[in-house]
Amino acid sequence: MIGYQFMGKAHSHAYRDIPFFFESKANPILQALCGRNEKAVQEAADKMGWQSIETDWRDLIKREDIDVIDIVTPNHTHAEIAIAAAEAGKHIITEKPLALTVEEAARMKEAVEKHNVIHMICHNYRFVPAVQYAKRLIDDGRLGKIFHFRANYLQDFIIDPSFPLIWRLKKEVSGSGALGDIGAHSIDLARFLVGEIDEVVAMSKTFIKERPLGEMSGGLSAEVSSQEVGEVTVDDAVAFMAKFDSGTFGTFEATRFATGNRNKNTFEINGEKGSVRWDMENMNDLHVYFTDDEKGVQGFRRILCTEEEHPYAGAYWPAGHIIGYEHTFIHLLYEFVEAIADQRQVSPNFHDGYKNQLVLAAIEKSAEQKSWEKVDQLNN
Ligand SMILES: NC(=O)c1ccc[n+]([C@@H]2O[C@H](COP(=O)([O-])OP(=O)(O)OC[C@H]3O[C@@H](n4cnc5c(N)ncnc54)[C@H](O)[C@@H]3O)[C@@H](O)[C@H]2O)c1
């Protein structure tokens, strides 16, 4: 694994818990952790249970005792590392967004196809039991034809103007702002649940244009490192409308300026026979409404998705004994490890990452040009 902070911790923990909760066909061995600072990476390896360290990812990829490369570094590193890993015949899991640009994403997709390795992108919210159950209801036709997909992904961790210019606020490192950081998750959920997006129109805004220099310090915290200021080169907020291939009407908002909302990742889907509604801040609940419920008692009701019937939930505790954020990574990495054991592809993979990247690019272009943009016209 390359990188060892926020996502490094989430992935390390998940690998360790897979054999604890699941009957997996293969058990991951935490063979080597890579980071640029030897002392810091050794401390992280000791804490998170990795057996050895490297300080250059190129050396890590050369190692013959490693089958899988896990990329949990900032977005501008994903393409170079993933392409080199594919060329070395390693299976790859990378964090989202896949890349900075459609062109990079296309090269990554080509590399994994050419070298025939298993690939995955870490859109972990697909793996919440309640989200999986919503997908099952849609696939079983319980909502009928889908009219609306409505998603918000709201955070507020950069609202203080003295919060520093972290990598997430620099276009050359992150690709985009709230759009690629959190909007990408909503796009992936939309594609997973409702299908492909055909066309978008968007607006975006950068509220705070300059910030003191500084670095991430774990989770979504950061430390100011200098009184010098630098320019914020990404969006702080984005909103867009989308037409899906199916005719579904999509509305989306992604912002890191929604005061009081820490990680409010939500969607509501309205179909001709019913609706589902989900919110990551109460991730075990799925709210459902069905038009064929008896008149007089109709209304949204809450399902606590901790029953055997709810995907993954049965691996843990008795019903009602809830699970949390870290479990989304356990489920995703369990699927990845199973796919490697079976030598088959899994999703979301680099094809999904590429398609999500096309949507991100269309949104950016639309916000810039104030126009509707066709997603597939960016295909190259
Ligand atoms: N799936 C999710 O919900 C989710 C959540 C947060 C972050 N992410 C994604 O995970 C990735 C990492 O984000 P994070 O929040 O863990 O970041 P972070 O800043 O907490 O950690 C980044 C790690 O990468 C290392 N690093 C930075 N630049 C490097 C370089 N050039 N070469 C080698 N190592 C380098 C840092 O030392 C650190 O260990 C990003 O792509 C981000 O978009 C995904």
Side-chain angles (χ1 to χ4, degrees):
M1 187 170 80
I2 306 158
Y4 51 87
Q5 275 207 70
F6 182 15
M7 282 305 105
K9 197 170 181 177
H11 290 212
S12 299
H13 168 265
Y15 286 124
R16 295 173 64 162
D17 259 6
I18 292 170
F20 198 99
F21 289 106
F22 290 89
E23 293 297 324
S24 48
K25 295 187 186 117
N27 288 335
I29 299 166
L30 304 194
Q31 195 79 345
L33 182 64
C34 179
R36 295 159 301 173
N37 176 324
E38 187 171 352
K39 182 167 175 288
V41 74
Q42 185 63 63
E43 277 172 16
D46 292 344
K47 179 159 186 191
M48 302 195 297
W50 292 84
Q51 297 184 2
S52 64
I53 63 158
E54 294 288 348
T55 53
D56 185 334
W57 60 262
R58 291 169 191 83
D59 294 331
L60 184 77
I61 284 172
K62 278 187 211 143
R63 279 176 57 162
E64 286 183 0
D65 60 342
I66 287 175
D67 303 311
V68 175
I69 294 290
D70 185 338
I71 306 169
V72 284
T73 45
N75 311 344
H76 68 314
T77 62
H78 296 180
E80 191 184 6
I81 299 173
I83 291 167
E87 283 167 357
K90 312 294 189 195
H91 306 303
I92 307 166
I93 170 112
T94 185
E95 264 303 341
K96 45 50 58 180
L98 189 60
L100 297 186
T101 62
V102 169
E103 182 274 328
E104 268 189 3
R107 284 196 288 116
M108 293 168 81
K109 184 169 71 79
E110 276 158 28
V112 291
E113 277 164 0
K114 180 172 171 199
H115 297 283
N116 203 21
V117 296
I118 313 292
H119 45 97
M120 197 170 193
I121 179 167
C122 191
H123 279 296
N124 52 306
Y125 295 112
R126 282 194 188 198
F127 295 89
V128 174
V131 173
Q132 292 274 327
Y133 200 64
K135 165 86 171 150
R136 192 178 288 177
L137 292 174
I138 292 166
D139 289 352
D140 289 350
R142 293 291 302 274
L143 305 191
K145 181 178 165 54
I146 307 292
F147 298 126
H148 288 282
F149 181 88
R150 191 176 302 110
N152 283 325
Y153 201 145
L154 313 178
Q155 296 183 334
D156 68 352
F157 74 100
I158 61 169
I159 207 148
D160 180 350
S162 65
F163 188 94
L165 189 71
I166 53 169
W167 67 259
R168 284 181 162 80
L169 299 172
K170 299 177 190 170
K171 189 169 176 62
E172 71 278 14
V173 184
S174 61
S176 63
L179 174 60
D181 203 25
I182 51 179
H185 279 305
S186 299
I187 292 165
D188 186 71
L189 284 176
R191 291 188 48 255
F192 176 56
L193 294 164
V194 177
E196 298 302 338
I197 293 173
D198 177 35
E199 217 175 336
V200 293
V201 67
M203 69 172 178
S204 70
K205 176 91 181 164
T206 305
F207 296 109
I208 296 180
K209 305 234 169 3
E210 282 188 336
R211 290 176 178 273
L213 304 186
E215 298 289 340
M216 299 298 301
S217 60
L220 291 177
S221 303
E223 279 167 17
V224 172
S225 59
S226 151
Q227 281 322 302
E228 215 181 305
V229 294
E231 192 192 350
V232 175
T233 47
V234 297
D235 59 281
D236 285 334
V238 63
F240 61 97
M241 296 191 286
K243 295 179 192 166
F244 288 76
D245 285 351
S246 59
T248 298
F249 187 113
T251 48
F252 296 74
E253 188 183 5
T255 174
R256 300 186 285 210
F257 273 70
T259 322
N261 293 281
R262 302 296 196 233
N263 196 43
K264 200 164 184 62
N265 175 7
T266 68
F267 62 75
E268 180 169 311
I269 302 172
N270 310 121
E272 60 185 341
K273 296 187 198 163
S275 294
V276 291
R277 187 189 276 170
W278 176 78
D279 173 358
M280 178 60 197
E281 289 184 349
N282 293 293
M283 62 169 263
N284 292 283
D285 295 349
L286 184 68
H287 293 262
V288 299
Y289 173 94
F290 295 113
T291 54
D292 59 5
D293 279 351
E294 193 188 335
K295 297 271 184 224
V297 294
Q298 280 189 351
F300 272 96
R301 57 188 146 92
R302 165 185 172 250
I303 305 173
L304 182 58
C305 294
T306 55
E307 310 279 340
E308 291 280 341
E309 289 74 12
H310 301 124
Y312 306 111
Y316 296 97
W317 317 114
H321 296 64
I322 56 172
I323 59 167
Y325 178 62
E326 65 273 33
H327 297 80
T328 64
F329 297 94
I330 301 173
H331 306 161
L332 181 143
L333 290 172
Y334 162 70
E335 295 295 351
F336 181 53
V337 169
E338 290 291 282
I340 293 170
D342 292 342
Q343 285 296 297
R344 60 170 165 79
Q345 291 302 344
V346 62
S347 76
N349 55 34
F350 281 24
H351 298 285
D352 294 288
Y354 172 72
K355 287 191 168 165
N356 293 345
Q357 201 83 41
L358 285 172
V359 180
L360 294 176
I363 291 164
E364 279 194 296
K365 191 170 172 203
S366 166
E368 214 177 278
Q369 304 199 351
K370 301 185 168 60
S371 56
W372 277 95
E373 292 297 331
K374 280 266 186 202
V375 170
D376 65 3
Q377 278 179 7
L378 290 153
N379 221 328
N380 58 2

